[in-house]
Amino acid sequence: MTVNIEVVEVCQTDQNGGVLCYVAAIYTQAHGSTEKTLVRKSRLPGAAAELKKEIQRDGIRAFDRITGGDR
């Protein structure tokens, strides 16, 4: 199965570099489909970068730990 992975990440900092707001949302979209599925949403800074490492290491199987499902 081929999927697209979309990461939406928002980070707002103050004038001193302190994090005011951080949100990362990760979506999958089956190839040829217009429907997106939210896989993970996190407010922990660095969540998107951590998931990227997991996907590079484990491929689509990285989502099995998140969703508990079989892909």
Side-chain angles (χ1 to χ4, degrees):
M1 175 182 219
T2 304
V3 297
N4 296 321
I5 299 170
E6 180 180 359
V7 178
V8 178
E9 188 174 33
V10 176
C11 184
Q12 184 176 9
T13 58
D14 64 16
Q15 62 190 16
N16 297 320
V19 176
L20 296 174
C21 172
Y22 178 88
V23 177
I26 294 91
Y27 298 91
T28 58
Q29 179 182 28
H31 186 69
S33 174
T34 59
E35 185 176 326
K36 295 179 184 176
T37 303
L38 178 65
V39 177
R40 179 191 284 178
K41 189 173 182 181
S42 180
R43 294 175 61 197
L44 297 174
E50 184 61 32
L51 181 61
K52 180 181 174 183
K53 288 180 197 174
E54 290 177 28
I55 293 169
Q56 288 174 336
R57 184 184 67 228
D58 302 330
I60 195 68
R61 289 287 168 200
F63 293 114
D64 289 345
R65 289 187 298 280
I66 299 167
T67 62
D70 294 317
R71 291 194 183 260

